[in-house]
Amino acid sequence: MAAPQLPPGQQLAAVDKWPVVGERLPRHDNRPWSVRISGAVARPFELSLADLAARPRVRQTVDIHCVTRWSKLGVPFSGVLLADLVAQARPDSSARFVSFIARSERAHSTSLVLREALELGALVALEVNGAALETRQGGPVRMIVGGRYFYKSLKWLERVELTTEDQLGYWERTAGYHNVADPWREQRYMAGAMSRAEARSLLESRDIAGRNLLSLEAQGRDLAGLNAAGALLRDADFRRSSLRGACFDRANLTNAHFEGADLRDASFRDADLDGANLAGADLRGACLLGASFCATSFFATSDAEGREDTVLDEHMQLDVVALEGLMPAQHACVVAALAQVRR
Ligand SMILES: Nc1nc2c(c(=O)[nH]1)N[C@H]1C(S)=C(S)[C@@H](COP(=O)(O)O)O[C@H]1N2
Ligand SMILES: [Mo]
């Protein structure tokens, strides 16, 4: 059998699509672009775009795997090897980590173990598909780190800093994203902070509005009428729970699990359902207006997951344009199912 090309839980994006995730724009700044290498090094230095472009160029074909479950295989990037810049800066022997910092409003960052970044062939990318990286794609200079979820590939690179202690990146610190991020080991999130017992007692109140509950364990429970408005519920597990009439308005449900859940008349207005799985759920009367669906699953597509039937009806509310965020296989299933209920 050929080796699988898609890590577990990933879906292929259409060839002509490249979803934008996280920040959409770099910080406005009139100074010309430059990249500075500093920290635990003997010779910090700064490069202009022209300096970067004049260095030896490397081509690399990279498989992109976003933590929100979409993938693009074989994307041809070119740029300068991080190893090349690191060597010139003469790292101290104590330099064990590398942080990448963006020219963006929140100074977005991410970090890697220096040795791993070099082994993975981390690329200071300038081009994709033979053309300069567009701003939208993280250009003019973007880190590309193959073999890690795409949140390790920083857009709008401005600073490379070598450090002796790890500086957790933006998503790793604020969203519980896993600090190693190997897609083949499905390292999407750090362990949730809460025990099953704590989750159980918290859920008894049926009010978790506005709370931050990464990887909440709430499977197989009676949670009808739950108020989870505005809650941060990335990777939460609501499989087979009864959530009739629950309110998830504006909640972050990235990668949440709703397989087999009763979601009749539940409300997901303006919720983030990127990478969430609703296969086998009962969605009759549910409101999904304003929700985002990048790589959301509505149907089980592999036999291994079993063929649970998702239930939709004509009372369900959703924006047809938002369905464009679905990956092709899911898009086809949902469009066919909607056509059937609306007949
Ligand atoms: N500067 C910056 N870089 C970033 C992010 C961000 O918000 N800001 N998001 C990360 C995440 S989570 C992903 S999946 C990829 C998304 O890249 P794309 O928008 O080109 O798909 O960028 C990564 N790099
Ligand atoms: Mo991501």
Side-chain angles (χ1 to χ4, degrees), residues 317-328:
Q317 302 174 62
L318 91 176
D319 313 305
V320 177
V321 269
L323 295 177
E324 295 302 318
L326 296 173
M327 299 297 111

Side-chain angles (χ1 to χ4, degrees), residues 21-22 65-70 149-152 171 177 254:
V21 182
H65 304 299
C66 178
V67 72
T68 60
R69 302 184 187 275
W70 55 268
Y149 284 124
F150 208 34
Y151 57 87
K152 293 289 183 181
W171 292 120
Y177 282 15
T254 304

Side-chain angles (χ1 to χ4, degrees), residues 115-134:
R115 183 176 40 76
E116 290 175 13
L118 301 179
E119 282 168 6
L120 291 164
L123 190 70
V124 180
L126 300 167
E127 293 187 338
V128 65
N129 294 313
L133 273 164
E134 291 170 32

Side-chain angles (χ1 to χ4, degrees), residues 134-205:
E134 291 170 32
T135 307
R136 199 173 53 75
Q137 299 166 317
V141 189
R142 173 182 197 152
M143 285 309 305
I144 290 293
V145 183
R148 293 290 180 263
Y149 284 124
F150 208 34
Y151 57 87
K152 293 289 183 181
S153 291
L154 186 104
K155 301 187 272 200
W156 315 299
L157 180 71
E158 181 172 59
R159 277 197 297 134
V160 176
E161 201 173 302
L162 273 57
T163 62
T164 53
E165 305 284 338
D166 196 9
Q167 309 289 322
L168 273 193
Y170 181 87
W171 292 120
E172 294 86 337
R173 200 172 62 237
T174 65
Y177 282 15
H178 199 288
N179 199 27
V180 179
D182 181 347
W184 297 98
R185 291 191 280 164
E186 237 190 318
Q187 293 169 320
R188 297 180 199 272
Y189 296 95
M190 313 286 209
M194 198 178 291
S195 72
R196 209 173 283 243
E198 283 173 294
R200 184 168 293 266
S201 71
L202 175 71
L203 286 166
E204 235 119 70
S205 70

Side-chain angles (χ1 to χ4, degrees), residues 2 19 21 27 36 68 101 126 161 227 230 255 272 284 336 343:
V21 182
R27 186 181 71 236
R36 182 170 174 75
T68 60
I101 300 137
L126 300 167
E161 201 173 302
N227 179 11
N255 289 338
D272 184 342
R284 286 176 288 175
R343 229 186 359 226

